[in-house]
Amino acid sequence: MTAIVDTASVDSRERAGRTEILSRIAEFAAPLALVVLWVVFFIATPHFLTLDNISDLLVASTILTVLALGQQFAITAGGIDLSVGANLPWAAAILGYLTAQGYPLAIGITGAILGGLAVGVVNGVLVGRLGMTDFVVTLGMLSVLNGITLLLTHGNTQAVSSQFLQRLALDGIGPVRWFWLLALLAALAVAVIIFRTRIGTHLLATGGRLEAARDTGIPVNRIRLFAYAMSGLLCGIAGVMLVARNGGADPSLQTTYLLSSIAAVVLGGSSLSGGKASVLGTVCGAVLFTSLINGFTILGISQYYQPVAVGAVLLLAAGIARFRK
C-alpha cells in the first residue's frame, strides 16, 4: 500500500515538474517564437534579414503594436475588446472626414483620437457600469461602428494629403524611425501604468479575481471603464498612424488587426482570463505577426495563406495559455 502511495506521489511530482517547465517556456513564448521565425526566414531567403527589410518590418508592426497594447488593458481587466477591428478605421475616417472638410490637421488628429476614446468609454460604461457582457457589447459595437464608418465615408477611401503625416511615417532620427519611437513611448506608458501605478495594481486585481477585488474596496466598475477607455484611446492613436502610413482612411473592417491584437497579447504572456500582463511579450507578439506576413510576401507565398497562418498562431497562443499560470 505504501509503495502504491509513493508511486502516485512521485507521478504527481513529475507531472507538476513538467507543468512547471511548460509554464516557464510559455512565459517567453513570443520572444522565442520570434527568434525561431526570423531564423527560418533567414535560411529561406537572404532578403529577409536585411537592414532595410527589418526597418520596414518594424515600422509595419507599430500599428498592430499600439492596438495590441490597448487590447492589453481590456484583457488584463478580465475582458476583451472586439470593437478594435472597427474602431481603427472609424478613427481614421474621422481624420479623413475632418481634413476633407477643410479643418486643420491638428483638429483632424485630435478628433480621431477623441473618437477612438469615445468608443472605449461607451464600451466601458456598458461593461463596467451596466454590467453587460463584454463579448456582446464589443461585438455589437464592432457592427455599429462599421456601419457608421461606411456611412461617413460612403464606403470610399478618403485621401489625406499631409507632409507632416508623410514625414511621421517615413522619416526619423538617423536609422530610428518616428513610428518606432511612437510605439516605444506607448509601450513604456502602458508598462508604467500597469506595473508602477495604483490603478495598474487595481487593474491586475480586478482581472485576477473580480469579486475578491470588489470585496477589498477596489472600484472595479471604474477600473473596467478605464481599461476600455485606454483601449479606445490607443485605437485612436493607431488610426492616425494608419492614415499616415497609407496616405488615406480606408473604411474597411480590419478583422485581421482584431485577431492579431488578441493573439499578440495572449502569445505575449497575458492570460485571457485576466490578472496577468506582459508589455514586452505583447510587443514581441505584434512583431511576430508582422514578420510572418512580411516573410510570406518576400517568399512569394499567396496572400490567401496569410489568414491561415494567423489563425494557426492564434490557436498556438490558446494552447500555450493552457500551461501558463
Side-chain angles (χ1 to χ4, degrees):
M1 184 68 176
T2 302
I4 294 175
V5 172
D6 290 343
T7 301
S9 178
V10 170
D11 290 342
S12 178
R13 286 197 298 270
E14 288 179 351
R15 286 195 298 271
R18 288 193 295 268
T19 301
E20 179 68 23
I21 293 173
L22 290 172
S23 176
R24 290 185 179 277
I25 293 174
E27 294 293 329
F28 301 97
L32 290 174
L34 181 60
V35 171
V36 171
L37 186 67
W38 279 24
V39 169
V40 170
F41 282 142
F42 171 69
I43 294 172
T45 171
H47 302 295
F48 178 78
L49 211 58
T50 64
L51 183 60
D52 287 341
N53 185 61
I54 294 301
S55 178
D56 291 340
L57 184 156
L58 291 176
V59 169
S61 71
T62 52
I63 296 174
L64 176 57
T65 297
V66 173
L67 274 182
L69 290 170
Q71 190 74 252
Q72 176 90 83
F73 279 101
I75 290 178
T76 302
I80 196 167
D81 189 356
L82 301 178
S83 68
V84 299
N87 199 359
L88 177 65
W90 158 248
I94 292 176
L95 173 54
Y97 176 80
L98 290 176
T99 54
Q101 297 301 311
Y103 290 96
L105 180 64
I107 298 296
I109 292 175
T110 302
I113 295 174
L114 291 179
L117 174 62
V119 172
V121 170
V122 172
N123 285 337
V125 169
L126 294 177
V127 174
R129 294 290 187 181
L130 301 184
M132 297 174 66
T133 306
D134 51 11
F135 183 89
V136 175
V137 167
T138 57
L139 182 61
M141 185 62 75
L142 175 80
S143 181
V144 169
L145 276 183
N146 185 43
I148 293 176
T149 302
L150 291 174
L151 289 172
L152 182 66
T153 62
H154 302 289
N156 300 317
T157 299
Q158 293 184 316
V160 177
S161 179
S162 166
Q163 290 186 355
F164 171 77
L165 292 178
Q166 289 178 356
R167 289 196 299 269
L168 182 66
L170 300 175
D171 295 343
I173 304 175
V176 180
R177 308 280 281 275
W178 294 121
F179 263 31
W180 299 1
L181 294 178
L182 281 175
L184 177 61
L185 288 174
L188 289 175
V190 172
V192 169
I193 291 172
I194 293 179
F195 301 114
R196 292 291 185 269
T197 66
R198 185 176 182 180
I199 196 169
T201 302
H202 289 176
L203 184 71
L204 291 165
T206 298
R209 289 192 177 183
L210 179 62
E211 294 304 324
R214 181 179 283 114
D215 291 342
T216 58
I218 293 175
V220 295
N221 292 339
R222 279 186 287 176
I223 293 299
R224 296 173 82 184
L225 192 158
F226 170 78
Y228 284 99
M230 289 301 297
S231 179
L233 176 66
L234 288 166
C235 263
I237 295 173
V240 175
M241 296 172 70
L242 185 66
V243 172
R245 181 166 174 76
N246 295 342
D250 182 359
S252 302
L253 191 65
Q254 301 290 334
T255 53
T256 300
Y257 274 118
L258 164 60
L259 295 176
S260 298
S261 70
I262 297 171
V265 174
V266 177
L267 189 65
S270 301
S271 172
L272 264 179
S273 59
K276 186 175 179 61
S278 173
V279 173
L280 177 61
T282 295
V283 172
C284 287
V287 176
L288 171 68
F289 279 102
T290 309
S291 300
L292 195 63
I293 303 303
N294 178 272
F296 276 19
T297 302
I298 292 176
L299 291 172
I301 299 175
S302 172
Q303 62 179 355
Y304 299 128
Y305 289 102
Q306 294 179 6
V308 175
V310 171
V313 176
L314 183 58
L315 291 174
L316 174 63
I320 290 173
R322 178 177 179 272
F323 300 102
R324 187 177 293 127
K325 290 185 178 180

